[in-house]
Amino acid sequence: MNKDKNIIEDKKPKKAPLVYINRLKMSELDENNVYEFIPNIIDKDGNIINRDDLNEEEQKKYDKAVTRKISHDKRKHMILTAESELIRIIRHLSEENEVSKRKTKQSRINRDYVENMLSLKVGRSYTKYKDQMKKFGGIVTYNGRKYKRIIVSSSHSRTQKAMLVAENIWDKAIDILLCGLDRDTEYKFMSKWNSYIGLASTDSIPVSSMPNIVVVDDKELRMKAKVDVVREINTWDENGNIHRRFSILRDKVRRIPTNLFDGAGIVTLKKAGEWSKELNLDYNPGFLPVPVYSLFKRKTVYYASGRICKGI
């Protein structure tokens, strides 16, 4: 029976494995962007117990109580999240003792705990988040370890959270995520920049076979199309308030500049079929995020995040 069950499970489409990361709420941080758990032990009268006032036997009990409190607070600030390219990058950059195994009582499944990642829940504390992150350079201190903001993707914005990584590996992580782009690159639309770099935080499953990749300039064509042309006219009143008025010219024939791939890649149907089989899918996926090697602008080769799409 168990053998048949395992066969059925093996044929199901694969899902991204779950891992543990740290999680904090913005409301838990003090005015210095610091969260430090202090495991105070209280006596029956509500007073804080001083360990130095205890005898040897009482100190042992005290230490056990402190350990339980620290362990409970640590568990309270951990969440399960689906593995992504970002998590694999951080795991790769982490020291061996910074990625441990953790098993829950309910599932009894050993999962990775990636200590160098932290999810910051902003919620209704947006003003505090904006002011304090600006003041402290995007750095949050959680129990003595410094974390720095790295990604706020479109989905993160909708769920009001930000992803941070340990400050000591932030430089290497951002170099990998940028795929060779200069950190100081000026970009007109920051939302698009966040969306681009946020692709690395999408749930994903690694595959074993890696194709040869050629980078070429994208192709732009001027396509003839019938469109509605919207014109915006802005005026300002004496108080400096803007007033917008729109006019629409319908069914106008124009030649529209059209980018064929918009920065995405194409892969042969044969390779897409190989990945489909490895992922236990019964179709060729239309979108395949894959790791690529960045060779742009620098001689160093990084394990980086990119994207590639199915094509003919």
Side-chain angles (χ1 to χ4, degrees):
M1 188 70 180
N2 288 335
K3 186 178 179 181
D4 293 338
K5 184 179 179 181
N6 290 335
I7 292 173
I8 293 171
E9 289 293 327
D10 289 341
K11 290 183 178 180
K12 286 184 177 181
K14 291 184 179 179
K15 294 182 179 180
L18 300 176
V19 299
Y20 287 100
I21 63 172
N22 297 313
R23 183 177 188 258
L24 269 181
K25 294 179 181 179
M26 193 68 208
S27 57
E28 294 179 291
L29 297 174
D30 64 15
E31 66 276 7
N32 297 313
N33 254 16
V34 173
Y35 176 89
E36 188 73 36
F37 178 66
I38 301 175
N40 290 323
I41 306 300
I42 310 298
D43 63 18
K44 61 182 180 181
D45 297 322
N47 300 314
I48 297 175
I49 299 174
N50 187 342
R51 186 179 185 278
D52 296 335
D53 296 336
L54 305 176
N55 59 41
E56 187 176 347
E57 191 62 32
E58 290 172 333
Q59 284 183 351
K60 289 180 180 179
K61 293 180 179 179
Y62 179 94
D63 292 342
K64 286 182 179 179
V66 167
T67 301
R68 285 196 300 269
K69 275 181 168 284
I70 292 174
S71 179
H72 179 266
D73 186 76
K74 186 176 182 179
R75 289 196 304 271
K76 189 176 77 171
H77 289 97
M78 290 167 63
I79 59 168
L80 272 175
T81 187
E83 188 174 276
S84 64
E85 188 66 15
L86 175 63
I87 288 175
R88 288 190 286 274
I89 290 169
I90 302 307
R91 184 195 284 127
H92 171 74
L93 295 174
S94 299
E95 299 292 336
E96 189 175 343
N97 63 342
E98 293 172 332
V99 180
S100 56
K101 292 289 185 180
R102 187 175 185 278
K103 183 187 292 186
T104 62
K105 292 181 180 179
Q106 290 82 4
S107 67
R108 310 302 296 172
I109 299 174
N110 261 330
R111 303 189 191 278
D112 280 354
Y113 165 46
V114 184
E115 188 177 348
N116 280 331
M117 282 198 65
L118 184 145
S119 173
L120 181 64
K121 180 67 175 177
V122 179
R124 296 181 180 275
S125 306
Y126 175 73
T127 302
K128 180 181 178 181
Y129 168 80
K130 180 182 176 182
D131 294 342
Q132 293 194 185
M133 293 299 271
K134 183 178 180 180
K135 181 178 180 181
F136 297 102
I139 291 176
V140 166
T141 304
Y142 169 58
N143 284 334
R145 182 183 290 261
K146 292 184 181 295
Y147 294 84
K148 189 172 181 179
R149 177 195 181 278
I150 195 165
I151 280 180
V152 179
S153 68
S154 301
S155 62
H156 294 151
S157 294
R158 286 193 296 273
T159 53
Q160 301 171 322
K161 64 183 179 183
M163 299 302 294
L164 295 82
V165 302
E167 186 188 23
N168 63 310
I169 62 172
W170 187 89
D171 284 318
K172 291 181 179 178
I174 199 68
D175 279 343
I176 292 172
L177 289 170
L178 290 176
C179 293
L181 295 175
D182 196 314
R183 291 188 205 174
D184 298 324
T185 300
E186 292 186 6
Y187 206 74
K188 186 176 181 180
F189 301 106
M190 283 307 299
S191 58
K192 289 189 175 182
W193 179 265
N194 279 335
S195 296
Y196 158 73
I197 201 171
L199 288 171
S201 62
T202 303
D203 303 357
S204 59
I205 305 168
V207 291
S208 58
S209 57
M210 186 66 192
N212 294 320
I213 292 177
V214 178
V215 179
V216 297
D217 289 336
D218 213 330
K219 178 69 174 176
E220 185 175 279
L221 298 177
R222 297 186 69 83
M223 307 291 289
K224 189 176 180 180
K226 184 180 288 187
V227 298
D228 292 341
V229 179
V230 179
R231 290 179 175 172
E232 178 182 347
I233 301 172
N234 297 329
T235 57
W236 286 263
D237 61 23
E238 58 184 10
N239 297 318
N241 298 316
I242 188 170
H243 298 276
R244 293 186 172 91
R245 185 166 56 86
F246 299 93
S247 62
I248 302 175
L249 303 176
R250 300 191 182 278
D251 297 332
K252 296 296 179 182
V253 177
R254 297 283 189 274
R255 289 197 175 272
I256 309 297
T258 305
N259 194 295
L260 291 183
F261 299 107
D262 194 25
I266 56 174
V267 62
T268 63
L269 287 173
K270 180 181 177 182
K271 177 56 68 176
E274 290 175 10
W275 287 332
S276 175
K277 185 176 180 180
E278 190 170 346
L279 297 172
N280 289 344
L281 302 176
D282 57 2
Y283 60 92
N284 281 345
F287 180 76
L288 297 157
V290 300
V292 299
Y293 288 94
S294 172
L295 298 171
F296 308 120
K297 290 192 178 181
R298 36 170 73 93
K299 294 179 181 178
T300 308
V301 177
Y302 288 117
Y303 182 76
S305 175
R307 59 175 181 158
I308 193 164
C309 294
K310 184 188 72 174
I312 297 175

